[in-house]
């Protein structure tokens, strides 16, 4: 791994010293810090009951943060051209992981879903890795087949030869939320890649039809869809989780009940430190704290989209499409998780990036930050083309950081 990063300059090794997009880094660090605080608070009662140590989940989360920071540094050191060359290999790896998780004895079942590959001290969630690998592969496809994608139906449909089987593997786990996020990010990338409005509209219609069929196919999905529209009709049954989340929002009012003073985290709200950490945040920090958190999410996602735009202006199209794809992965997860927490969407098991407890999600989010920081740096220094040969002068190059 270190052989592919040693010869190249990077945002951490340049004539300007550490040459990062500090605005993006600050926004992501703020979310990481807030996530650590909220996980410590939201998980304290559960951790005390399960392990005898109220800080058990906090310590584990700190380990994941350290791994995530390392992943961020590594991805920052790898040239974007290298990721482009590895696109097909990553796609094959993504398929391999999604097949492996379904193998009995390898995949680990939690709450009826086979979404994790279990190791001795931690679990890996292949869907989190697969989503990013798909974005990298699709970015390469859009560069290689740009004219075909824009002008022909075949160029438009070819990516779905890859995406549909992968969506099928995700649905077999089942992981409906990850499927929606992955397909949504892919659709956005195709639209930005130049797919005509008619073909894009047809894709949207087919996607809505597919979602309708999938919801009808499984009784539990239909039950969730019916319940979320009126959770109080079965508040101690299928609507229990959502009603408890709504109670948390109601208790928080404008300024919250105070950090650590949540009542809902005391075994009333299931998954309080994972999928529903935003509800505990709203209860403890109130409307003001919730809006500040949403503002941070908006900032980092808009910044990621701007990084893609800057790369496109620098004619680094692979990097641009990859930045757009990563941004839409975050946007999809933000919207779905917060929508579920406030009762606008049916309940789905989808983590909130940077904030929810979950090792795979956190590490992958940090790796994505590293990719985005690398893309921004290469577009600003114009070192992002495969034809560019790095030499010692690149390390001393002075560049304009005014963005």
């Amino acid at each position: 791994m270190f052989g592919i990063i040693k010869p190249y300059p990077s945002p951490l090794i340049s004539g300007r010293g550490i040459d990062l997009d500090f605005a993006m880094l600050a926004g992501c660090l703020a979310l990481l810090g807030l996530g650590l605080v909220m996980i410590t608070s939201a998980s304290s009662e559960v951790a005390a009951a399960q392990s005898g140590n109220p800080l058990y989940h906090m310590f584990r989360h700190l380990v994941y943060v350290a791994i995530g920071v390392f992943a961020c540094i590594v991805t920052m050191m790898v040239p974007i051209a290298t990721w482009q060359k590895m696109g097909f290999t990553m796609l094959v790896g993504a398929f391999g992981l999604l097949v492996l998780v379904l193998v009995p004895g390898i995949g680990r079942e939690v709450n009826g879903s086979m979404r994790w590959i279990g190791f001795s001290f931690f679990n890996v969630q292949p869907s989190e890795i697969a989503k990013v690998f798909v974005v990298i592969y699709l970015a390469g496809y859009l560069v290689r087949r740009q004219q075909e994608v824009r002008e022909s139906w075949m160029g438009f449909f070819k990516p779905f030869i890859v995406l549909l089987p992968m969506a099928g593997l995700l649905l077999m786990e089942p992981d409906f939320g990850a499927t929606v996020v992955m397909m949504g990010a892919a659709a956005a990338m195709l639209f930005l890649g130049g797919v005509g409005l008619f073909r894009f509209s047809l894709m949207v219609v087919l996607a809505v039809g597919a979602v309708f069929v999938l919801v009808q196919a499984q009784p539990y999905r239909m039950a969730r869809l019916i319940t979320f529209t009126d959770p109080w009709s079965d508040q101690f049954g299928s609507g229990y989780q959502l009603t408890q989340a709504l109670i948390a929002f109601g208790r928080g009012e404008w300024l919250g009940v105070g950090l650590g003073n949540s009542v809902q985290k005391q075994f009333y709200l299931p998954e309080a430190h994972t999928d529903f950490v935003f509800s505990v945040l709203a209860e403890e920090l109130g409307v003001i704290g919730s809006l500040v958190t949403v503002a941070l999410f908006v900032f980092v996602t808009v910044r990621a989209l701007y990084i893609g735009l800057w790369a496109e202006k620098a004619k680094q199209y692979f990097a641009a499409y990859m930045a757009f794809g990563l941004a839409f992965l975050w946007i999809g997860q933000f919207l779905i998780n917060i929508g579920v927490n406030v009762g606008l969407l049916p309940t789905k098991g989808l983590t909130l990036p940077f904030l929810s407890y979950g090792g795979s999600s956190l590490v992958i989010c940090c790796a994505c930050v590293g990719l985005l920081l690398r893309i921004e740096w290469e577009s600003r220094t114009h070192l992002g083309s495969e034809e560019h040969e790095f030499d010692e002068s690149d390390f001393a190059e002075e560049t304009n950081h005014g963005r």
Side-chain angles (χ1 to χ4, degrees):
M1 177 178 67
F2 292 100
I4 64 175
I5 65 177
K6 184 178 178 180
Y8 307 112
S10 76
L12 300 176
I13 307 172
S14 70
R16 297 174 61 90
I18 298 177
D19 189 17
L20 298 170
D21 180 0
F22 288 104
M24 181 67 173
L25 183 63
C28 293
L29 287 177
L31 285 172
L32 275 176
L34 180 61
L36 178 62
V37 171
M38 292 314 306
I39 285 167
T40 304
S41 175
S43 68
S44 59
E45 300 295 333
V46 173
Q50 293 179 348
S51 66
N53 179 6
L55 300 180
Y56 173 78
H57 290 300
M58 184 202 77
F59 290 135
R60 284 181 64 89
H61 191 73
L62 278 172
V63 172
Y64 292 132
V65 168
I67 297 172
V69 170
F70 177 74
C72 179
I73 292 172
V74 169
T75 53
M76 255 194 290
M77 299 288 284
V78 179
I80 297 302
T82 302
W83 296 108
Q84 185 172 3
K85 292 174 184 177
M86 293 168 56
F88 182 75
T89 304
M90 290 179 144
L91 181 69
V92 173
F95 271 108
L97 288 171
L98 292 178
V99 170
L100 204 60
V101 76
L102 297 173
V103 177
I106 297 179
R108 184 185 174 201
E109 184 174 348
V110 178
N111 295 331
S113 298
M114 295 276 285
R115 300 181 186 176
W116 296 268
I117 296 176
F119 294 92
S120 54
F121 296 106
F122 61 95
N123 298 318
V124 173
Q125 190 170 0
S127 62
E128 295 290 338
I129 302 171
K131 286 184 293 188
V132 176
F133 284 6
V134 165
V135 164
I136 293 173
Y137 173 79
L138 189 55
Y141 174 83
L142 289 172
V143 171
R144 293 191 306 272
R145 306 285 185 179
Q146 189 174 62
Q147 200 70 20
E148 190 179 356
V149 168
R150 292 179 176 180
E151 296 180 357
S152 74
W153 284 93
M154 186 56 66
F156 170 66
F157 281 119
K158 278 181 180 178
F160 292 97
I161 298 173
V162 171
L163 292 171
L164 292 178
M166 188 164 288
L169 289 172
L170 287 170
L171 291 171
M172 289 173 67
E173 296 183 7
D175 195 344
F176 189 66
T179 307
V180 171
V181 169
M182 183 189 75
M183 297 300 284
M189 290 175 70
L190 286 169
F191 182 71
L192 293 174
V195 169
L197 185 59
F198 175 73
R199 281 175 287 161
F200 182 78
S201 301
L202 178 62
M203 178 176 60
V204 171
V205 171
L206 291 174
V208 172
V211 169
F212 178 78
V213 171
L214 289 170
V215 168
Q216 293 282 345
Q218 293 291 340
Y220 79 91
R221 290 187 187 132
M222 195 64 193
R224 284 183 177 179
L225 186 62
I226 295 171
T227 300
F228 103 95
T229 59
D230 185 14
W232 302 100
S233 63
D234 189 16
Q235 68 178 95
F236 297 110
S238 56
Y240 178 77
Q241 197 168 27
L242 179 53
T243 56
Q244 296 304 313
L246 294 175
I247 289 170
F249 277 93
R251 292 192 75 252
E253 298 184 349
W254 284 101
L255 298 177
V257 297
L259 190 62
N261 294 327
S262 168
V263 171
Q264 294 306 104
K265 70 180 181 182
Q266 298 178 15
F267 307 102
Y268 291 103
L269 177 61
E271 311 295 341
H273 60 295
T274 55
D275 301 342
F276 281 83
V277 69
F278 190 74
S279 297
V280 177
L281 183 151
E283 184 181 3
E284 295 189 349
L285 304 183
V287 172
I288 302 301
S290 301
L291 291 177
V292 169
T293 304
V294 170
L296 280 172
F297 284 144
V298 170
F299 174 78
V300 298
T301 52
V302 170
R303 190 75 178 181
L305 291 172
Y306 267 105
I307 288 173
L309 182 61
W310 295 330
E312 189 174 32
K313 287 181 177 179
K315 300 188 184 305
Q316 297 172 9
Y317 297 110
F318 171 78
Y321 292 136
M322 186 162 68
F324 291 142
L326 296 177
F328 281 110
L329 286 180
W330 284 355
I331 290 169
Q333 288 195 225
F334 290 154
L335 291 177
I336 292 175
N337 183 279
I338 293 177
V340 166
N341 274 252
V342 301
L344 292 177
L345 294 172
T347 303
K348 291 305 308 166
L350 202 63
T351 57
L352 187 59
F354 297 106
L355 259 72
S356 292
Y357 178 81
S360 297
S361 175
L362 182 66
V363 172
I364 292 299
C365 279
C366 292
C368 290
V369 173
L371 288 172
L372 289 166
L373 292 174
R374 178 80 194 195
I375 290 169
E376 188 277 336
W377 180 77
E378 286 196 6
S379 67
R380 178 162 41 83
T381 57
H382 302 286
L383 297 178
S385 68
E386 290 180 324
E387 293 78 17
H388 186 92
E389 294 293 334
F390 293 107
D391 55 41
E392 292 299 322
S393 64
D394 291 325
F395 290 84
E397 184 177 355
E398 291 296 327
T399 58
N400 179 20
H401 200 4
R403 279 186 178 159

